[in-house]
């Protein structure tokens, strides 16, 4: 008999206002809301704080262009089941083109939530202009 493991680190993405086009190398603010659906709380500070970040992927080749985007701190600790809204910093790749953006959550010194089975928030076909 197998029992499904409880996900310690999991999120449910609620909303975002990621732009559909951005200038190469530009940094913009994006409002993001998500719920901590994992069984563990997400600490804002301490030795292993939880942050929001992203990965840029070339839309046509699938190649990762930026794996470790800017990290944005949580506004407070987030208990299991709690929803949080924050303003994340997003920096566009330096090369023009069409990219997919994957918003992700990372715990410093522990790893990416997506690496532990949590979903990313995929934003498709963002144009990076000169």
């Amino acid at each position: 008999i197998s029992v499904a493991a409880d996900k310690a680190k999991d999120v449910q993405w609620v909303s975002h206002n990621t732009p559909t086009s951005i200038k190469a190398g530009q940094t913009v603010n994006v409002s993001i809301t998500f719920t901590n659906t994992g069984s563990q709380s997400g600490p804002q500070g301490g030795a292993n704080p939880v942050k929001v970040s992203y990965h840029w992927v070339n839309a046509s080749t699938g190649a990762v262009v930026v794996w470790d985007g800017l990290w944005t701190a949580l506004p407070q600790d987030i208990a299991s089941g709690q929803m949080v809204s924050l303003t994340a910093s997003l920096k566009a790749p330096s090369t023009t083109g069409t990219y997919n953006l994957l918003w992700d959550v990372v715990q410093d010194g522990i790893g990416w939530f997506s690496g532990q089975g949590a979903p990313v928030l995929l934003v498709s076909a963002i144009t990076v202009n000169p």
Side-chain angles (χ1 to χ4, degrees):
I1 298 175
S2 80
V3 177
D6 183 24
K7 281 189 177 178
K9 296 177 181 7
D10 203 8
V11 297
Q12 179 181 359
W13 299 97
V14 176
S15 65
H16 69 96
N17 69 346
T18 307
T20 56
S21 68
I22 187 172
K23 289 182 180 176
Q26 180 183 17
T27 301
V28 296
N29 290 330
V30 177
S31 298
I32 295 178
T33 301
F34 66 93
T35 302
N36 177 4
T37 54
S39 60
Q40 292 182 355
S41 64
Q44 176 200 24
N48 304 107
V50 171
K51 313 258 179 156
V52 172
S53 188
Y54 52 87
H55 319 293
W56 284 105
V57 177
N58 183 298
S60 57
T61 67
V64 175
V65 178
V66 175
W67 177 254
D68 200 359
L70 298 175
W71 290 19
T72 300
L74 299 178
Q76 76 269 343
D77 291 349
I78 304 174
S80 179
Q82 185 176 359
M83 184 182 295
V84 66
S85 296
L86 56 84
T87 301
S89 295
L90 173 66
K91 184 175 182 179
S94 56
T95 305
T96 60
T98 303
Y99 297 90
N100 293 330
L101 178 71
L102 292 78
W103 287 103
D104 202 346
V105 180
V106 61
Q107 188 165 14
D108 197 6
I110 305 291
W112 295 93
F113 280 29
S114 62
Q116 299 174 46
V120 294
L121 171 59
L122 172 63
V123 184
S124 298
I126 297 175
T127 304
V128 175
N129 299 307

